Amino acid sequence: MENPHPKTEVKFTLEMLPELPEIHRVEAEHKATEAYVMTLLKHADISSGRAARLLGIPRLEVIELMNSYDISPFPMQTREELEHEVEELKRSFER
């Protein structure tokens, strides 16, 4: 059975930092993932709802993050796309 959610692996290489505390490495990896997802959101490759799912956070937190990444919460959208976003937001409030 084919995986319905294929994964993207992103790799980069840095100089070895053996003195780096594990908690700092984990935080840096989380921030790298966050930056990757937010860049996709900025270019409208994914929705804020999808960004929330990828990051494992509530959609409202994504909207707050958008500000720190200088991403407008009001991208150019068709009426149908905007209506879909509104419905998705309504559903998130109902949970």
Side-chain angles (χ1 to χ4, degrees), residues 44-74:
D45 294 322
I46 61 173
S47 68
S48 59
R50 181 122 187 241
R53 287 190 299 278
L54 290 170
L55 294 173
I57 61 176
R59 188 159 181 260
L60 291 176
E61 283 185 39
V62 169
I63 293 168
E64 291 172 6
L65 268 178
M66 290 170 71
N67 186 49
S68 65
Y69 283 87
D70 198 27
I71 301 171
S72 171
F74 305 106

Side-chain angles (χ1 to χ4, degrees), residues 3-45:
N3 183 352
H5 302 287
K7 306 260 187 228
T8 297
E9 185 175 358
V10 179
K11 292 184 178 186
F12 59 93
T13 304
L14 293 176
E15 175 185 329
M16 186 68 154
L17 302 168
E19 72 283 0
L20 185 68
E22 177 70 9
I23 193 165
H24 297 168
R25 184 193 59 77
V26 170
E27 179 184 352
E29 289 175 358
H30 171 76
K31 288 292 190 179
T33 300
E34 178 184 284
Y36 182 82
V37 170
M38 296 308 286
T39 299
L40 296 177
L41 180 60
K42 180 177 185 175
H43 294 291
D45 294 322

Side-chain angles (χ1 to χ4, degrees), residues 73-79 81-82 85:
F74 305 106
M76 297 301 291
Q77 294 178 307
T78 65
R79 179 181 178 92
E81 290 170 331
L82 186 56
E85 287 287 320

